[in-house]
Amino acid sequence: MTRGTVGRTGYRDISLYSPDRAPCRVDLSDNTNGWGMPPAAADAFSTAASAASTRYPSLYAAALKDALASYVGVSADMVTTGCGSDDVLDSSIRAFAEPGDRIAYPDPTFPMIPIFARMNGLVPVPVPLMSSYDVDVDGMRAANARVIYLCSPNNPTGAALSRRSIEAIVGAARGDQFVIIDEAYAEFAGVTVIDLIQRCDRLLVTRTMSKAFGLAGLRVGYAIGAPSLVAEVEKSRGPYKVNAMAERAAIAALGDGLAWVREHIELTIANRRRLIVELAMRRIRPIESDANFVFFPIARALGLARAMRERGVAVRPFEGLPLVSEGLSASNGAALRISIGPWEQLAEALDAFDEVRAQCE
Ligand SMILES: Cc1ncc(COP(=O)(O)O)c(C=O)c1O
């Protein structure tokens, strides 16, 4: 028997997503909610665990869509959900583009985008950010892509893209183009571009309950767009993507849990400010952050993060980023990203950082 190749040829260059997820005493590496989840969501989850496990969940999470629609202030037919916003992004890319089409995205941005692009047979077209960390509007237009992905606030830089740039890109979208704006961190910025959907029926705004809502392990993401667009994403997504426990917990988080969520968004913003001050005292200037993390270029980021991990603190290192700014040029494309959580955890991170830096110098 001859040994053939296994799987789609387009998948040969895709490796499994593998950030260092080994458990760590203080984990500030993945921008989840360091305080946990709203107690109302935890209660709803436990109650649902015995009552809802045997039967299939609802096909397209209708009750969750109602709750999300009132949270963001749109009608329920403008909302779709998924198994994390990863699933919503993947399904949208598949719904909007044919294999061989191009998808343009700022570089750096959420690293799953080029992976979802290849999984769906699209050609990834990275467009370097401007030195201000805003999106390069002309570069995006010149990419001539079927799908334009923007992330605001952007991961990993943390800065929101300017409203002017987003409007310019959305306004210039041609009849066969789609724009996806990933607002995974919008709650920490206090701004959204959901209103632009009224002007453009080929704009989809994706959101997640993994960050401000503390439900990363339950995998609940959603998107808002014109009803005609949402219907196409649901075809591509398929039924039963939000499990029954996750749906109940998410609805509770959007109801009785909302006060908890808002309170912890405020705490996150206060601790973000405090961490930036502490870093400035160490002559480190993070990029202005609108998210629940701070990002700063620093040489030898990988080694620093490894040494911090040995001291029980996980942060996210980056190397090989495009040299779009003075800071990233000076660090040769290396940077650290620290998620914002309770202050005791950030204090531990600062202590570990001070120790490993002193050793490197
Ligand atoms: C910008 C951005 N979008 C989407 C996601 C995926 O979130 P989830 O699949 O947990 O909803 C993340 C996760 O870190 C992210 O940073």
Side-chain angles (χ1 to χ4, degrees):
M1 196 165 67
T2 50
R3 282 181 65 191
T5 347
V6 176
R8 292 167 65 145
T9 48
Y11 280 20
R12 272 184 213 145
D13 296 335
I14 302 179
S15 40
L16 295 183
Y17 186 56
S18 62
D20 190 353
R21 302 288 322 130
C24 198
R25 189 167 44 81
V26 175
D27 192 340
L28 302 172
S29 69
D30 63 3
N31 309 335
T32 49
N33 195 319
W35 286 273
M37 65 162 89
D43 288 348
F45 181 84
S46 318
T47 312
S50 51
S53 297
T54 309
R55 309 302 301 260
Y56 284 103
S58 65
L59 286 160
Y60 293 94
L64 176 56
K65 283 198 221 181
D66 284 341
L68 288 166
S70 70
Y71 171 61
V72 293
V74 298
S75 56
D77 60 357
M78 294 178 71
V79 180
T80 181
T81 61
C83 179
S85 55
D86 277 347
D87 181 35
V88 178
L89 288 163
D90 177 36
S91 306
S92 318
I93 291 170
R94 192 162 48 252
F96 299 160
E98 306 283 351
D101 280 343
R102 293 152 70 85
I103 176 168
Y105 52 89
D107 188 21
T109 197
F110 182 42
M112 286 304 295
I113 296 307
I115 299 175
F116 291 140
R118 285 202 214 96
M119 280 165 57
N120 291 295
L122 270 69
V123 179
V125 184
V127 176
L129 283 172
M130 313 270 278
S131 58
S132 59
Y133 299 104
D134 198 5
V135 57
D136 176 355
V137 176
D138 293 337
M140 280 288 170
R141 281 198 202 133
N144 200 18
R146 176 74 173 237
V147 182
I148 293 175
Y149 167 89
L150 304 175
C151 183
S152 185
N154 188 43
N155 178 11
T157 51
L161 307 181
S162 71
R163 170 95 187 180
R164 214 174 50 176
S165 301
I166 294 176
E167 280 188 5
I169 288 172
V170 171
R174 297 186 316 254
D176 61 346
Q177 281 181 321
F178 295 90
V179 182
I180 300 173
I181 302 185
D182 183 339
E183 287 195 340
Y185 301 99
E187 276 90 356
F188 307 104
V191 289
T192 177
V193 292
I194 287 176
D195 57 293
L196 292 182
I197 290 168
Q198 305 301 336
R199 290 194 232 159
C200 178
D201 60 5
R202 291 178 318 281
L203 167 64
L204 192 79
V205 177
T206 63
R207 292 276 191 97
T208 182
M209 298 195 74
S210 298
K211 311 299 179 183
F213 284 86
L215 302 183
L218 298 187
R219 315 301 300 123
V220 183
Y222 61 102
I224 305 108
S228 55
L229 202 64
V230 157
E232 292 308 303
V233 177
E234 297 216 320
K235 286 184 202 165
S236 152
R237 185 207 83 147
Y240 303 130
K241 286 296 170 74
V242 178
N243 77 63
M245 275 88 79
E247 183 174 11
R248 303 265 182 100
I251 292 169
L254 290 156
D256 289 347
L258 208 46
W260 184 97
V261 171
R262 294 203 163 118
E263 185 189 319
H264 288 84
I265 291 169
E266 290 310 313
L267 265 175
T268 304
I269 293 169
N271 284 356
R272 179 176 79 196
R273 232 178 269 129
R274 197 170 162 191
L275 181 65
I276 289 172
V277 170
E278 286 285 340
L279 288 168
M281 290 184 334
R282 292 161 174 81
R283 292 167 192 267
I284 285 178
R285 302 232 165 278
I287 295 170
E288 202 53 55
S289 173
D290 298 295
N292 66 341
F293 54 86
V294 298
F295 171 94
F296 50 92
I298 188 163
R300 299 190 303 275
L302 215 54
L304 288 169
R306 234 178 250 140
M308 287 177 74
R309 196 174 247 286
E310 280 162 18
R311 283 159 180 77
V313 179
V315 298
R316 183 69 187 269
F318 294 85
E319 295 222 320
L321 296 178
L323 310 182
V324 298
S325 63
E326 256 179 51
L328 281 170
S329 297
S331 70
N332 199 24
L336 286 179
R337 191 191 67 196
I338 304 180
S339 307
I340 301 297
W343 186 254
E344 313 80 69
Q345 296 189 12
L346 297 178
E348 278 206 59
L350 285 166
D351 288 347
F353 180 65
D354 290 342
E355 254 185 66
V356 303
R357 254 182 120 203
Q359 280 179 4
C360 287
E361 270 156 16

